[in-house]
Amino acid sequence: MTEPPTESGPIVQQLTELAERLGDLASRRPLANHASDGVTRRAAQLQDSLRAHILPRARSLDAPLLVLLIGPTGAGKSSLMNALAGFDASPSGVTRPTTREIVVVAAPGARDQLLGDGLPLSMLAGGRVRYLEYADMPEDIALIDSPDVDSIEHANRALTERLAEAADLGIFVTTATRYADRVPWEVLARMRDRGLPLVVVVNRMPSDPGDSATILDDVQRLLAEAGIRTDGVELVAITEGELDPSVDGLAHDAVQPVRARMDALGADREARRDLAARALAGSLAGLAPLVQRVADDLEHEAIEADAVRRFAAHAFDTESAALRERLVGGTFLRAEALRQWQAFVGADEITRFFSSGIGKLRGTISALVRGSPRAPVAEVREDALADLTALARSHAGEAARRTATAWSDERSTRDLVAQDAGLWSVSADFDAAIRTRLEAWVAGIAEDVQQTGGSKRLLARGASVGVNAAGIGVMLATFANTGGITGAEVGVAAATGFVNQKLLEALFGEAALVEMIGRARSNLQGVVDATFTDERGRYEGLVPDGAALRDLASAMRAAAGEITALQPASHS
């Protein structure tokens, strides 16, 4: 075998760059925190495989080997651990410290090489490590007893699965009655994928040689069916009752094949490096398919993300369009505000002049306005903005309700909607946000009035109207299309709109007024669009962007090709 390059070689630099590109996957929140267990597990496996084994091992083949004992509850892992260590390192029994922590036994002086910052055991187990030193442990080998692989506590099982990504040698401990249990074989399948060197210990075997041979044949059959090369697996059988009470473990002779292998590794640096190189090569070979599967997950997530985003977009676009229609009609404005404005523009008196033609109105507009009451600018402005805010809130709230209803039916987002009641209505600061925009909109109309009227000196004829009052008139004119109607034909809203528009035409001219109203409507639509975009953003911010996920998936597939290209460097 040709060993992988050491720290100065190109493989480490390439793998480091790869880890940086892919390392955020495990920390990336899956879609709406509702990804399947398989998706979440694969993302975590990818990060753990890169950071906990491939990179550390590529940097140094001389770092201590991690020998991991795994198996189901009650299989005898702790008993094997104690026999190999030579003392009572891990109390046996169904309930023991190893249900919540890992036990690490190593030779004196290896602690910094195993538990230093950034090293695999520190990254994976954190504070859940009970570290023991024993003088008779083989050099540069760490023996690890992991939590039960079928633990009822998810965190314990997850820790064992993460440790399986960091191991250099796996020792699978099972029994003559439990070797076919499904859960442990799921972890063995991952060990197969990453080509981990493997020892299988079948504990509590029957004393009858024929029965024992039958069980071992069946174990080999299961290994072969699982795609694990049996010629690369060391199979050890331990007969029921072979125990050593002095160490609360299995008998010394019974575990001798396993102990002999560890002693040989401890005595032979090249053998350790060869095993480390094999584990690294296997991890690299298993990494590319894992990356491809994660890329598949990302593409599936992109489809789901696009779907739930479309729900939100459709709901808010529909309600935004409905709001635009109601704004043009102007019927949402409260009648009291319109009556005040009608009284100001002198609707009753001005209407009589319409029968004689608009030309006469232009000549008498100043006199009419001077005789009108004080312009109720503040009152009408306040009422109109309050009505606009309420109308926008109503439509935005309906969009929120539709989105939440659709999302509650989707697997990927139902938890979000269930956990956040605020998603069923507008945001808490909706009124304040749109009010700020509306006030700026009204101020913009006043500026437009001043520029338009000032350039033509049109406001001089009706100076007492004032820029702010004329601005309110233009604001009201944006809410109603009054062409072709008369005040006598419709109610107060249409009558006020008609007189208001004729007054403004007299002041500014029809063409200039049309332009001002057009700009005001366009700017108002900008207010609506910005507000509804913000509201829709509350939902879109909860799910990843589909295009970004697809880009990441493409980068993953490219990285898988790079990984495949690296593999020949680690094989002879």
Side-chain angles (χ1 to χ4, degrees):
M1 170 178 290
T2 301
E3 71 179 42
T6 56
E7 189 171 0
S8 60
I11 190 174
V12 174
Q13 180 180 353
Q14 291 173 283
L15 286 172
T16 300
E17 292 173 354
L18 177 63
E20 290 175 351
R21 292 203 305 271
L22 308 182
D24 66 338
L25 276 179
S27 59
R28 177 184 60 79
R29 178 183 54 77
L31 177 58
N33 285 329
H34 204 82
S36 68
D37 289 342
V39 171
T40 303
R41 182 181 300 177
R42 283 189 288 274
Q45 285 175 344
L46 177 59
Q47 183 180 23
D48 291 340
S49 185
L50 279 167
R51 297 181 176 178
H53 183 258
I54 291 177
L55 283 174
R57 187 52 74 195
R59 293 188 181 107
S60 174
L61 295 178
D62 288 315
L65 295 176
L66 302 185
V67 180
L68 180 66
L69 302 179
I70 63 170
T73 301
K77 289 190 292 88
S78 295
S79 296
L80 177 59
M81 174 82 160
N82 295 339
L84 295 175
F87 70 104
D88 189 358
S90 181
S92 61
V94 175
T95 302
R96 55 191 186 281
T98 50
T99 59
R100 298 187 180 276
E101 63 185 356
I102 66 172
V103 178
V104 179
V105 178
R111 186 184 188 97
D112 290 344
Q113 295 177 282
L114 292 167
L115 297 179
D117 290 342
L119 295 179
L121 293 182
S122 295
M123 285 191 294
L124 300 180
R128 299 178 62 184
V129 177
R130 187 156 66 96
Y131 184 84
L132 303 172
E133 292 184 346
Y134 188 57
D136 290 341
M137 275 296 293
E139 183 182 358
D140 290 325
I141 292 178
L143 187 63
I144 305 169
D145 186 10
S146 64
D148 301 324
V149 74
D150 57 351
S151 173
I152 60 174
E153 295 187 30
H154 177 75
N156 294 339
R157 177 175 172 177
L159 176 57
T160 297
E161 291 176 348
R162 299 188 73 192
L163 289 169
E165 296 298 326
D168 298 292
L169 173 65
I171 300 179
F172 175 54
V173 185
T174 186
T175 69
T177 58
R178 302 198 58 186
Y179 65 86
D181 288 358
R182 180 182 62 84
V183 172
W185 284 87
E186 294 177 357
V187 179
L188 285 177
R190 176 56 193 152
M191 291 182 166
R192 170 206 65 205
D193 291 343
R194 57 168 296 229
L196 184 70
L198 190 63
V199 175
V200 176
V201 175
V202 186
N203 194 17
R204 304 194 187 104
M205 292 284 280
S207 57
D208 181 88
D211 292 340
S212 180
T214 298
I215 291 173
L216 292 180
D217 287 344
D218 200 38
V219 171
Q220 289 184 315
R221 176 186 64 81
L222 292 175
L223 289 169
E225 289 180 354
I228 299 173
R229 292 179 52 184
T230 56
D231 59 350
V233 175
E234 186 174 353
L235 200 58
V236 178
I238 299 178
T239 304
E240 176 78 45
E242 292 188 278
L243 302 172
D244 182 356
S246 67
V247 296
D248 191 22
L250 300 174
H252 181 272
D253 291 345
V255 302
Q256 185 56 32
V258 183
R259 179 71 195 205
R261 180 165 187 179
M262 292 181 59
D263 288 341
L265 289 170
D268 188 343
R269 175 175 179 267
E270 290 306 314
R272 291 195 302 274
R273 289 171 63 85
D274 180 70
L275 180 66
R278 285 175 55 200
L280 176 57
S283 290
L284 284 173
L287 190 61
L290 178 58
V291 172
Q292 293 283 14
R293 293 193 70 188
V294 171
D296 291 341
D297 295 336
L298 288 169
E299 289 175 348
H300 293 152
E301 188 175 346
I303 294 172
E304 291 188 347
D306 287 342
V308 295
R309 279 171 170 262
R310 279 195 299 271
F311 290 145
H314 178 71
F316 280 92
D317 287 348
T318 298
E319 288 304 313
S320 178
L323 176 57
R324 285 197 299 271
E325 291 183 5
R326 294 189 66 183
L327 289 177
V328 172
T331 55
F332 67 92
L333 292 170
R334 64 189 68 182
E336 179 57 31
L338 294 176
R339 288 193 182 97
Q340 291 185 70
W341 195 251
Q342 187 181 30
F344 167 65
V345 297
D348 292 339
E349 188 172 356
I350 291 175
T351 302
R352 290 197 295 271
F353 284 89
F354 293 155
S355 60
S356 300
I358 192 65
K360 292 184 178 181
L361 176 64
R362 188 180 298 274
T364 60
I365 189 68
S366 296
L368 289 172
V369 170
R370 289 192 187 98
S372 299
R374 181 182 62 84
V377 171
E379 297 88 339
V380 175
R381 176 181 180 276
E382 179 61 31
D383 287 348
L385 293 189
D387 290 344
L388 278 169
T389 299
L391 182 65
R393 186 197 313 118
S394 173
H395 284 278
E398 178 61 15
R401 186 194 65 78
R402 290 183 180 182
T403 301
T405 299
W407 279 26
S408 65
D409 292 333
E410 292 297 308
R411 178 197 61 81
S412 59
T413 48
R414 63 170 67 107
D415 284 356
L416 278 174
V417 176
Q419 295 166 6
D420 186 356
L423 293 175
W424 290 87
S425 59
V426 298
S427 58
D429 62 347
F430 179 88
D431 284 12
I434 194 170
R435 180 61 183 249
T436 298
R437 290 188 172 115
L438 288 172
E439 287 175 347
W441 171 65
V442 172
I445 292 175
E447 292 177 5
D448 196 14
V449 164
Q450 190 167 30
Q451 292 175 2
T452 302
S455 64
K456 298 181 180 181
R457 305 187 63 83
L458 293 175
L459 286 181
R461 286 198 294 270
S464 62
V465 174
V467 172
N468 290 333
I472 294 299
V474 174
M475 178 192 74
L476 294 176
T478 64
F479 303 134
N481 180 3
T482 59
I485 65 172
T486 68
E489 292 173 347
V490 290
V492 64
T496 303
F498 175 68
V499 174
N500 180 68
Q501 182 162 329
K502 294 305 180 182
L503 172 60
L504 294 172
E505 288 177 355
L507 289 172
F508 298 102
E510 185 176 357
L513 179 61
V514 168
E515 290 180 359
M516 280 196 298
I517 292 175
R519 286 190 292 269
R521 284 179 175 166
S522 177
N523 292 337
L524 179 58
Q525 187 55 49
V527 169
V528 171
D529 290 344
T531 302
F532 274 56
T533 296
D534 287 348
E535 289 295 297
R536 188 176 70 192
R538 292 193 300 141
Y539 300 87
E540 293 179 338
L542 297 174
V543 298
D545 178 68
L549 291 174
R550 280 185 285 273
D551 288 345
L552 185 54
S554 297
M556 288 282 183
R557 300 205 187 281
E562 296 176 34
I563 295 167
T564 301
L566 291 175
Q567 292 176 35
S570 58
H571 292 80
S572 58

